[in-house]
Amino acid sequence: MPLHVSQAPAPALRSVLMALGSAAVREAHTPALRSVQGPLSPELPLPVHELDVLDVRDQIVPPAGAPRTRLTGWRFLIRGGDRPVAAADTRLTPDGWAFSHFFEGPYLASTERALHQAETMTTHYQPRLLSVPELYMLTLWLHGDPDADPATGSPAPTDLLVPLAPAPPGIAAHLPYRVADLLPVLTLRLGPPPLLESTA
């Protein structure tokens, strides 16, 4: 399998395991998760990075030509029986990694599909998630350095981004794009930042 799934920080995993054993499961807005009879297990931890939109808008990028990102959390697919039934997000707090919430919906199946798609590739990648909140867009980021620290780094021009469904209009879901090819499209979509009006 060409995917090198990273190991999540132990406190992030522990927070999800504690949530799975607590009332959080019964209180979650995830019918599929609540209906599972039997054990639930967190699998396939993926670091979630967010694209620096100001960096993309201004096309101010590091010398390597890669946009800047920041780590915002870790996501785990929650398996019940033979299939993922939900996902769990964790976030970094002043006290360390903490469980955030459970969820289900189209991104769950789309993430699993994109991961299966990536497993058929011949190149070795480190899977991550890259979010562009301003476009309501989430991609599977296939980082070309499988041994890199999953909490750091920027998308290299030759890394692949696989938009998850639902993708923004005009961007095909589940079609792998090189970062160098998709970034100009995102730059056009995001447009320039609004000008501040003078109050003088």
Side-chain angles (χ1 to χ4, degrees), residues 92-149:
L92 191 58
T93 71
D95 297 322
W97 288 101
F99 169 75
S100 175
H101 61 282
F102 293 115
F103 69 94
E104 58 187 57
Y107 281 142
L108 179 63
S110 187
T111 300
E112 187 181 32
R113 176 181 167 185
L115 287 167
H116 286 312
Q117 183 180 356
E119 287 173 352
T120 66
M121 298 177 180
T122 56
T123 304
H124 291 257
Y125 290 108
Q126 180 191 87
R128 305 175 176 194
L129 293 173
L130 181 63
S131 171
V132 188
E134 289 77 4
L135 296 178
Y136 302 99
M137 181 179 182
L138 185 64
T139 70
L140 178 65
W141 168 13
L142 298 174
H143 191 45
D145 182 358
D147 299 317
D149 179 352

Side-chain angles (χ1 to χ4, degrees), residues 1 6 17-18 21 30 50 53 63 69 80 84 87 93 101 103-104 118 128 140 143 149 156 161 165 169 194-195:
M1 174 170 103
S6 304
L17 289 170
M18 288 178 61
T30 50
E50 189 172 299
V53 169
T69 63
T93 71
H101 61 282
F103 69 94
E104 58 187 57
R128 305 175 176 194
L140 178 65
H143 191 45
D149 179 352
L161 297 177
L195 296 174

Side-chain angles (χ1 to χ4, degrees), residues 16-88:
V16 171
L17 289 170
M18 288 178 61
L20 286 172
S22 73
V25 171
R26 292 190 304 277
E27 296 166 359
H29 300 291
T30 50
L33 183 65
R34 294 196 310 266
S35 67
V36 171
Q37 301 295 319
L40 296 165
S41 61
E43 298 180 352
L44 290 171
L46 297 171
V48 182
H49 292 255
E50 189 172 299
L51 188 66
D52 184 341
V53 169
L54 290 178
D55 178 54
V56 173
R57 278 182 173 145
D58 296 336
Q59 297 185 347
I60 301 171
V61 295
R68 286 187 289 263
T69 63
R70 63 185 179 90
L71 180 71
T72 59
W74 280 83
R75 178 168 295 174
F76 298 79
L77 297 185
I78 306 300
R79 185 168 294 277
D82 61 349
R83 63 188 179 93
V85 294

Side-chain angles (χ1 to χ4, degrees), residues 51 53 56-57 59 132-137 163 166-173 177 181-194:
L51 188 66
V53 169
V56 173
R57 278 182 173 145
Q59 297 185 347
V132 188
E134 289 77 4
L135 296 178
Y136 302 99
M137 181 179 182
I171 297 177
Y177 294 86
D181 296 331
L182 186 58
L183 188 60
V185 176
L186 299 184
T187 302
L188 289 173
R189 289 297 180 88
L190 292 166

